[in-house]
Amino acid sequence: MRQSPRIKGFFILVASAVVILVGGMAYRQYQLSQAEEVYRKFRQEEKNVTEIKKVGHDFEKLQEINKDIYGWICVEGTKVDYPVLQGAEDNYYLTHDMNGESSVAGAIYSNSCNSKDMTDGITILYGHDMKADTMFGSLHYFDDTSFFEKHREMTLETRDGMFCYEILGVYNYNDDYLPEMFDVKNQGGVLAFNDALKKCQEAGDEMTHVRKDAQITEADRLLVLSTCIAGQDDRRFLVVGKLSQYVDYE
């Protein structure tokens, strides 16, 4: 039985759509792999340098690459091992990598509301929730209670020293822009944020886990890592830690 030209045209259209869809998916996967490759190569170069010098990251070299790099974040048990940037334009590094190149993966960054010397009451870092667990994607390892119980530390290094933070809790939080809700500079902001975290904990979401002995006082300095939650566009996943130790390099 011969097919009519209309039916043939329909199948050609469907086949073309499938080819375009598959091609688009393959291209995006290529973009993602290339975006992470930038960081993988750089981490290896940095590892070679630090093994030779027996010190932390070489921030003089980092800032020759990009003057916006001011820190390096690592989270125990995850793939988070990245430079931290702050640009002249807020959220610039949402769509640009550490080299300032356009990138679907972006970079780990803070906004201008935060000082780069880690002296604020609340410092907030942002990163994409990548499906390959890169950038801040692997923070969702903390969704699992047993993983959360076993991993308690994250560090942020600057040219001046190493800041060590005890991870107090992880939260399925609303998508409010935190610096608009809380004064990140002063003690009152820390206490108000702590009250909001307690209310979030009381909501009992399965992604929210808090240490039984967790306490936040007005004197504490907090580091908050913020990323998306797949399928929940109106929520953010927060990892919250407080400064437990500082190692001065001078």
Side-chain angles (χ1 to χ4, degrees):
M1 180 177 178
R2 297 179 60 186
Q3 293 180 336
S4 70
R6 182 176 296 179
I7 293 176
K8 286 184 178 180
F10 172 75
F11 282 116
I12 291 173
L13 182 62
V14 170
S16 298
V18 170
V19 169
I20 292 172
L21 177 62
V22 172
M25 293 173 63
Y27 178 66
R28 179 165 178 78
Q29 186 58 44
Y30 170 77
Q31 286 183 308
L32 295 176
S33 63
Q34 290 297 106
E36 177 57 21
E37 183 67 9
V38 170
Y39 291 98
R40 189 196 66 78
K41 287 182 177 179
F42 186 73
R43 277 195 295 267
Q44 184 57 51
E45 291 173 2
E46 275 292 286
K47 181 180 178 182
N48 293 341
V49 170
T50 56
E51 285 179 350
I52 292 171
K53 293 187 175 183
K54 303 299 182 184
V55 296
H57 292 89
D58 187 341
F59 282 93
E60 289 187 8
K61 175 185 175 183
L62 288 170
Q63 292 188 337
E64 287 175 2
I65 296 170
N66 187 335
K67 63 181 178 58
D68 290 341
I69 298 174
Y70 73 92
W72 195 285
I73 180 72
C74 291
V75 181
E76 180 186 1
T78 74
K79 295 182 180 181
V80 177
D81 181 18
Y82 293 102
V84 179
L85 300 93
Q86 184 177 114
E89 175 188 338
D90 281 354
N91 298 319
Y92 176 80
Y93 288 104
L94 186 68
T95 55
H96 294 79
D97 66 19
M98 59 170 283
N99 296 314
E101 301 291 337
S102 180
S103 169
V104 294
I108 307 303
Y109 68 95
S110 60
N111 279 332
S112 58
C113 60
N114 277 132
S115 303
K116 293 183 282 188
D117 58 6
M118 308 307 294
T119 57
D120 292 337
I122 308 171
T123 298
I124 307 159
L125 304 185
Y126 302 93
H128 283 298
D129 173 19
M130 304 300 289
K131 290 183 178 180
D133 291 345
T134 54
M135 305 315 292
F136 273 176
S138 64
L139 291 182
H140 281 287
Y141 293 173
F142 286 106
D143 293 354
D144 179 73
T145 305
S146 61
F147 182 90
F148 172 75
E149 293 297 336
K150 292 176 183 177
H151 299 89
R152 305 180 66 97
E153 186 177 80
M154 54 185 173
T155 60
L156 194 145
E157 183 186 9
T158 70
R159 65 166 58 245
D160 296 323
M162 180 72 75
F163 297 82
C164 303
Y165 295 85
E166 177 190 3
I167 297 172
L168 302 179
V170 298
Y171 300 84
N172 183 333
Y173 199 80
N174 62 49
D175 64 347
D176 289 341
Y177 183 55
L178 296 180
E180 290 182 349
M181 306 302 296
F182 309 100
D183 186 342
V184 301
K185 298 291 186 182
N186 69 29
Q187 298 167 332
V190 172
L191 294 179
F193 182 51
N194 185 39
D195 289 341
L197 292 177
K198 288 179 179 178
K199 291 179 180 178
C200 182
Q201 180 183 0
E202 290 168 359
D205 186 274
E206 61 181 8
M207 280 188 183
T208 298
H209 309 298
V210 183
R211 309 273 179 218
K212 293 180 180 179
D213 57 349
Q215 292 186 354
I216 294 175
T217 70
E218 62 181 8
D220 285 324
R221 280 189 275 173
L222 306 181
L223 177 62
V224 180
L225 312 185
S226 176
T227 193
C228 297
I229 299 175
Q232 299 185 41
D233 294 340
D234 60 342
R235 307 293 292 179
R236 300 287 295 178
F237 188 69
L238 306 183
V239 177
V240 179
K242 72 175 181 180
L243 185 65
S244 58
Q245 183 182 14
Y246 172 64
V247 179
D248 194 333
Y249 286 165
E250 295 183 358

